[in-house]
Amino acid sequence: MRLPQVTLDTTLKELYGNSVHGPEGRIALVQSVACTELALSSKVRRNSKYLYVESKFCSTPLKCSREERAEIQRTVAIQFLALVPQRDAFCAGNMPIIIFDPDGSGKETAHGKVEAKKTMSNLTADQRSKILYFAGPKDISMEANGIDSLVARLALDDLEGYPLVMDLDTSYFLNSKLALSESGLPSPKSVSLELKDFSPAPTECCAVCMSRNGEVVIPDDCTGVRGRWLKNRIRDILDNISAQPIPFVLKNQQTFGGGGTFKVSSRKDVADLKALLSTRILPKLLSGVGPSNAHLKPATLILSEMVQNPICDWGLTFFVRRSGQCVYLSATQQILDPTNAWIGSNISYPAQDKLRQKFTPIMLEIGAWLHSYGYFGPCGADILEEAQGDHMPTTMKIVDLNVRTSGSLTLGLLKGHFSEQRGLHHATCFSISVNMPRESFIETFKADFTDGRIVIIGWYDDVSSGTSYGYLVVGATDEDDLGRRVAGVKKLASIMHF
């Protein structure tokens, strides 16, 4: 089936402009998602230095069979190494994008290339990314592919040693909740719970720890100083949380997509949070702090005031040029699930001119702060608009910064395709899992695809399981029409986080 080709309003290549041939030389983007809980493949190791909390997406059970763990690993690897990088490659333009093989053996490479080629074929030829496949970060060949420097979406441990546009420590810091809380940018008042030390090494503990050196978590049956250290630190954190006035919001230092963010409005919420922290999150997080990463403060928790009268949850996307100039891309309304995890965004194209005026002041504030650290590139800001009373102007509170490509970035680049060419003035983006291959899904919604109402910006058919994972943008004439079309997709597919 021949589908209409998409021409984006602009691309990351165009936004980087001369920066892609600046002092850093020829830049390639590494768009894979880092994972702390498990290795994504034999060649993409678990992050042990740059820690992230992915509790919403790959929370492996504390005890599971080898088969169950392998299935979790495969599903997460497809999402983190194939689906998200494809989505970001869609808006990159004609520049190199590095993607890693979901199984690390090379067996999936040919299939991954076919999937990415199908997705990129939705774009006009001059806007298609040059996708480079490698088994893992250690296999990246720079000189052979004409690459001088890398831009990392998230800090991958194994990118250390490569020439990077921004060093991993600074990138990790700029995306942290602690950086936002101390930035001076308009955000909810907060306090931080910082870990003052870290546990001794397994070789300095008991026989249990020495025999299980290398495990992610300090063993439950540890009989030495490490087990006592972990119990004491968890107790101290939980005591601080119990003393926090309700309501409040707790955030882990490094999260994405809403994972690791918890709204607390009642004593029951406090009890539920403490149970989750003590059994699922803190044992792994605190066990992961050591001499190599203590300076990054990866186990810091942020306790912030809850915005009391939010009237809209906005996602602002823009681009910071090397000069510090900020380029507005879009303001979208974010869609969150009941657990506060991001599952998509909605955009109104006719509203963008007014929204540009509304968000320019706060965009310039964020941009100036990022520029002071030498950052240039895409940025997403989660902003709550808060009512202040009758006849009083609303205020804006930044609740998260994504100093990287954000999930809603592509929405702001499709105004020409949807609104100007087709009269589709509203659009939404979201990811799905569905038990049918790409071609069958397209055939099911044939009219929407041939009319250009649905655009696939990421897709991966997992042949072994029969499940496909996709990232879609759907356009519609108005909000009601958009709701009906999304409901039609939901009848066949499940909405995923990301």
Side-chain angles (χ1 to χ4, degrees):
M1 184 188 306
R2 186 173 179 82
L3 303 179
Q5 290 192 322
V6 173
T7 299
L8 300 171
D9 301 341
T10 189
T11 64
L12 290 178
K13 169 73 176 295
E14 294 169 358
L15 291 165
Y16 274 110
N18 292 332
S19 298
V20 295
H21 298 294
E24 299 82 7
R26 296 159 296 183
I27 292 173
L29 307 181
V30 182
Q31 300 301 93
S32 299
V33 179
C35 188
T36 297
E37 293 213 12
L38 44 75
L40 296 178
S41 77
S42 61
K43 293 298 184 70
V44 182
R45 298 186 307 156
R46 179 184 72 83
N47 258 32
S48 59
K49 177 178 180 179
Y50 298 101
L51 306 182
Y52 295 90
V53 174
E54 314 100 349
S55 55
K56 301 292 187 200
F57 314 115
C58 60
S59 51
T60 54
L62 292 177
K63 295 182 180 179
C64 61
S65 68
R66 181 175 299 179
E67 292 76 17
E68 289 172 328
R69 187 174 181 83
E71 180 58 31
I72 293 169
Q73 179 191 45
R74 179 168 180 79
T75 300
V76 175
I78 289 172
Q79 294 178 39
F80 284 17
L81 301 183
L83 190 61
V84 172
Q86 263 192 55
R87 179 196 72 188
D88 290 349
F90 193 89
C91 62
N94 186 18
M95 66 185 301
I97 302 290
I98 290 173
I99 293 181
F100 303 125
D101 184 357
D103 75 357
S105 68
K107 295 178 182 178
E108 293 285 341
T109 300
H111 180 60
K113 287 182 177 179
V114 170
E115 293 288 25
K117 185 176 181 180
K118 288 179 181 178
T119 298
M120 296 306 124
S121 70
N122 295 329
L123 290 162
T124 52
D126 63 335
Q127 289 191 335
R128 295 173 191 167
S129 301
K130 179 185 179 182
I131 298 180
L132 306 173
Y133 287 87
F134 300 99
K138 294 291 188 182
D139 301 296
I140 296 174
S141 175
M142 303 279 287
E143 185 175 351
N145 290 283
I147 301 168
D148 298 310
S149 301
L150 302 177
V151 173
R153 184 180 190 273
L154 291 171
L156 297 173
D157 286 5
D158 283 344
L159 290 181
E160 286 192 302
Y162 284 102
L164 299 163
V165 171
M166 173 156 283
D167 68 272
L168 296 179
D169 277 16
T170 304
S171 176
Y172 187 82
F173 166 76
L174 291 177
N175 280 282
S176 71
K177 305 302 182 283
L178 183 60
L180 174 60
S181 70
E182 296 179 345
S183 66
L185 295 169
S187 60
K189 292 181 181 179
S190 63
V191 296
S192 60
L193 304 180
E194 295 187 16
L195 191 65
K196 301 302 182 182
D197 58 2
F198 49 85
S199 74
T203 54
E204 300 173 7
C205 196
C206 61
V208 173
C209 287
M210 285 189 282
S211 66
R212 291 158 65 179
N213 191 1
E215 289 193 3
V216 176
V217 185
I218 295 171
D220 286 340
D221 51 351
C222 167
T223 60
V225 64
R226 298 176 77 227
R228 293 192 295 273
W229 176 89
L230 182 61
K231 290 176 182 177
N232 289 338
R233 296 302 174 272
I234 290 176
R235 183 197 62 220
D236 293 343
I237 291 171
L238 298 184
D239 286 347
N240 274 285
I241 290 172
S242 296
Q244 182 72 6
I246 298 173
F248 65 90
V249 176
L250 180 138
K251 295 184 179 182
N252 291 107
Q253 171 76 310
Q254 286 283 359
T255 66
F256 41 86
T261 298
F262 307 94
K263 292 182 178 179
V264 176
S265 302
S266 66
R267 281 296 164 194
K268 181 180 183 305
D269 290 344
V270 172
D272 292 343
L273 174 60
K274 289 169 64 176
L276 179 63
L277 288 172
S278 62
T279 59
R280 295 290 300 126
I281 296 177
L282 291 180
K284 289 184 179 181
L285 188 59
L286 301 188
S287 298
V289 182
S292 69
N293 62 4
H295 66 288
L296 300 169
K297 303 179 180 179
T300 297
L301 301 180
I302 308 298
L303 294 168
S304 68
E305 292 181 347
M306 188 178 292
V307 176
Q308 292 300 305
N309 300 300
I311 58 176
C312 193
D313 190 337
W314 296 100
L316 171 66
T317 58
F318 61 99
F319 193 94
V320 183
R321 295 193 187 276
R322 186 194 293 275
S323 64
Q325 176 195 10
C326 294
V327 181
Y328 172 92
L329 297 176
S330 70
T332 61
Q333 294 189 22
Q334 303 204 91
I335 307 169
L336 307 179
D337 76 357
T339 68
N340 205 46
W342 182 83
I343 55 174
S345 294
N346 292 341
I347 191 169
S348 167
Y349 292 112
Q352 289 306 302
D353 286 342
K354 286 187 176 179
L355 291 173
R356 180 196 304 269
Q357 296 177 7
K358 181 173 186 170
F359 284 101
T360 290
I362 199 167
M363 176 185 73
L364 295 178
E365 281 191 76
I366 300 169
W369 180 71
L370 293 174
H371 182 61
S372 72
Y373 286 93
Y375 178 80
F376 61 96
C379 181
D382 298 343
I383 300 173
L384 288 180
E385 183 175 6
E386 185 177 23
Q388 297 298 310
D390 294 339
H391 310 298
M392 294 182 67
T394 59
T395 58
M396 300 290 184
K397 297 289 181 64
I398 304 167
V399 295
D400 200 9
L401 281 181
N402 302 303
V403 188
R404 56 182 184 264
T405 51
S406 61
S408 61
L409 176 61
T410 308
L411 275 180
L413 311 182
L414 288 168
K415 181 179 180 180
H417 175 81
F418 283 129
S419 186
E420 295 173 0
Q421 297 176 24
R422 292 170 173 80
L424 305 174
H425 302 306
H426 294 259
T428 187
C429 61
F430 54 95
S431 55
I432 62 168
S433 62
V434 61
N435 294 322
M436 63 174 67
R438 183 195 305 244
E439 286 72 20
S440 298
F441 185 81
I442 292 173
E443 184 64 33
T444 302
F445 297 95
K446 181 177 181 179
D448 289 315
F449 276 101
T450 55
D451 290 344
R453 290 178 180 271
I454 299 181
V455 178
I456 291 175
I457 62 174
W459 193 279
Y460 196 93
D461 289 333
D462 182 13
V463 179
S464 65
S465 69
T467 300
S468 294
Y469 303 89
Y471 203 94
L472 311 178
V473 182
V474 179
T477 54
D478 55 38
E479 291 183 0
D480 290 339
D481 183 32
L482 188 63
R484 288 192 295 271
R485 294 184 184 280
V486 172
V489 174
K490 287 183 177 180
K491 287 181 180 179
L492 292 178
S494 300
I495 306 300
M496 299 193 309
H497 296 126
F498 274 120

